[in-house]
């Protein structure tokens, strides 16, 4: 008889929180990929538009005048400032590259989320 079948916890993880973490990561990757496909089917069809995946941001759509950096977030609860703080700091550095001419065009940041914004974040931003 297979030893695994005799184990009373067969199939049950030692740490159930690990399953939640794994599912969240995979759900996030799926959401990012689906959004990337949507970009390919819509805005990237314009002449001269390019899309980059997993470079400076999750997705970058580079048009003739604007480079849009897209940060994609999936959450179970409303989005909080702490969820996007590092993306905002990173974007400020990217914006400086555009302003100095090291990168062409205007820089824009778009944050795509699958939940509402939390009340604190909603009050402090245009989100």
């Amino acid at each position: 008889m297979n030893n695994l079948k005799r184990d009373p916890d067969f199939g049950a993880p030692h740490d159930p929180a690990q399953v939640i973490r794994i599912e969240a990561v995979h759900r996030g990757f799926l959401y990012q990929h689906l959004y990337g496909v949507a970009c390919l089917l819509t805005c990237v069809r314009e002449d001269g538009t390019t899309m980059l995946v997993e470079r400076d941001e999750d997705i970058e759509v580079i048009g003739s005048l604007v480079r849009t950096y897209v940060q994609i977030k999936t959450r179970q609860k409303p989005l909080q400032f702490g969820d996007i703080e590092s993306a905002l700091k990173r974007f400020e550095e990217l914006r400086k590259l555009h302003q100095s001419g090291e990168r062409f065009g205007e820089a824009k940041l778009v944050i795509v989320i699958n939940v509402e914004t939390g009340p604190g974040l909603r009050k402090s931003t245009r989100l």
Side-chain angles (χ1 to χ4, degrees):
M1 179 180 224
N2 186 328
N3 288 335
L4 288 177
K5 291 181 182 176
R6 286 187 273 168
D7 186 338
D9 289 330
F10 174 68
H14 171 70
D15 180 6
Q18 177 65 4
V19 173
I20 293 168
R21 287 188 292 270
I22 290 169
E23 288 174 348
V25 166
H26 290 285
R27 182 175 46 252
F29 284 139
L30 175 62
Y31 193 64
Q32 285 180 351
H33 286 90
L34 291 175
Y35 192 83
V37 169
C39 287
L40 282 172
L41 294 174
T42 56
C43 58
V44 177
R45 295 186 336 185
E46 296 177 23
D47 285 342
T49 302
T50 302
M51 185 177 91
L52 301 173
V53 178
E54 296 291 341
R55 191 165 172 243
D56 288 316
E57 276 304 337
D58 296 329
I59 295 175
E60 295 172 44
V61 179
I62 305 167
S64 59
L65 299 174
V66 178
R67 185 174 191 147
T68 305
Y69 297 90
V70 183
Q71 175 66 215
I72 302 169
K73 296 286 188 190
T74 57
R75 295 290 183 269
Q76 298 284 338
K77 298 177 183 177
L79 191 76
Q80 304 299 319
F81 180 74
D83 295 327
I84 61 170
E85 185 175 13
S86 64
L88 294 174
K89 287 179 183 176
R90 193 169 45 251
F91 179 67
E92 280 308 311
E93 295 300 315
L94 293 168
R95 187 191 328 242
K96 288 176 187 175
L97 293 174
H98 286 268
Q99 290 171 340
S100 71
E102 290 181 59
R103 288 204 178 165
F104 179 77
E106 178 186 355
K108 289 191 176 186
L109 175 66
V110 173
I111 299 175
V112 177
I113 55 176
N114 68 327
V115 294
E116 293 183 11
T117 55
L121 182 59
R122 203 172 314 123
K123 282 182 184 178
S124 66
T125 65
R126 295 181 289 164
L127 298 176

